[in-house]
Amino acid sequence: MKNVLLIRRYAKAFLEYSIENKMVDEGYADLELMTATLNEHRELRNILSQPFVPKSKKENIIKKVFQGQISDNTLKFIDLILEKNHPEILPDIIVIYRELYNEYKNIAVVTITTVVKIDEQRQQHLLRFVKHKIKGDIKIINKIDKKIIGGFVINYLDYQYDASVYTKLRNLEALFTDNLYVKGY
């Protein structure tokens, strides 16, 4: 079971450290590069999460993979996580850091789910459904999901606007499964 409080604490500490050292964007870019690398290389994730692999070996691997690609301050942060024996929560720390970074920079993340990738103009057109709820800059994530059949779903924080064909079909199914027959008419 993941310790959400610990994950949030590490992410918040790294953000505060980044703010103090005027490297917020650099820290974000470093962690995004690490996310991409960890997602790409399953064996690297496996090595970092294995308890029988010594900390020193994990530190050497991280340094060899990321030395020169990410800042020394970010490497120190990763070393701290390894030193405290929490390498398995590194991907989760990155996710929470991304949320805290967006909050700090006043960036609203809106996810638009469609069946196919849509262009910038159509994304801006669909934003009209949530634009009144958003303050600050907007970052749009276009997620592809064939299950929705058609239409779109917009998610922003806890708000969802669902105009998918799948949902409309589900609603129709629920409507027709109710037995509206009344004896005597």
Side-chain angles (χ1 to χ4, degrees):
M1 188 168 152
K2 294 181 181 176
N3 188 338
V4 180
L5 186 61
L6 180 67
I7 293 167
R8 184 165 277 291
R9 198 173 288 156
Y10 274 116
K12 189 174 179 184
F14 185 62
L15 179 67
E16 289 171 359
Y17 179 77
S18 297
I19 292 169
E20 287 174 17
N21 291 295
K22 296 175 180 42
M23 57 166 273
V24 177
D25 293 327
E26 182 183 13
Y28 179 77
D30 289 347
L31 293 181
E32 287 297 320
L33 175 68
M34 288 191 70
T35 300
T37 305
L38 290 172
N39 287 340
E40 222 174 280
H41 302 285
R42 190 181 80 220
E43 55 278 348
L44 179 60
R45 281 193 319 263
N46 289 340
I47 289 171
L48 291 177
S49 64
Q50 297 301 323
F52 58 84
V53 176
K55 289 182 232 176
S56 60
K57 186 165 184 157
K58 291 177 184 179
E59 289 172 1
N60 287 338
I61 291 170
I62 290 290
K63 283 182 182 164
K64 284 181 182 177
V65 171
F66 294 109
Q67 190 80 40
Q69 294 185 18
I70 63 176
S71 71
D72 290 337
N73 289 329
T74 305
L75 273 175
K76 287 178 190 174
F77 173 69
I78 303 305
D79 284 344
L80 175 70
I81 292 170
L82 294 175
E83 185 180 306
K84 297 293 183 180
N85 207 19
H86 296 298
E88 73 284 351
I89 65 172
L90 184 59
D92 300 312
I93 291 170
I94 294 170
V95 169
I96 299 297
Y97 181 84
R98 189 180 297 134
E99 292 172 9
L100 294 172
Y101 172 86
N102 287 334
E103 189 179 303
Y104 174 74
K105 290 287 202 168
N106 200 20
I107 298 171
V109 179
V110 177
T111 305
I112 301 175
T113 306
T114 55
V115 176
V116 295
K117 187 163 177 56
I118 57 175
D119 61 3
E120 180 72 28
Q121 182 181 4
R122 197 161 313 269
Q123 288 176 2
Q124 293 301 322
H125 180 71
L126 291 176
L127 275 180
R128 76 178 192 273
F129 293 104
V130 292
K131 208 159 197 145
H132 63 281
K133 296 181 175 296
I134 300 172
K135 294 179 180 129
D137 297 331
I138 299 173
K139 178 182 177 184
I140 300 172
I141 298 173
N142 186 200
K143 195 168 137 190
I144 309 300
D145 186 0
K146 303 283 184 192
K147 291 181 201 168
I148 69 168
I149 303 171
F152 60 91
V153 178
I154 298 174
N155 290 307
Y156 169 65
L157 298 175
D158 61 347
Y159 176 78
Q160 182 178 46
Y161 185 87
D162 191 341
S164 68
V165 173
Y166 176 78
T167 300
K168 289 180 182 181
L169 288 173
R170 254 193 16 230
N171 292 342
L172 277 173
E173 178 185 37
L175 182 68
F176 287 122
T177 56
D178 290 341
N179 187 358
L180 300 176
Y181 175 74
V182 177
K183 192 174 184 178
Y185 286 103

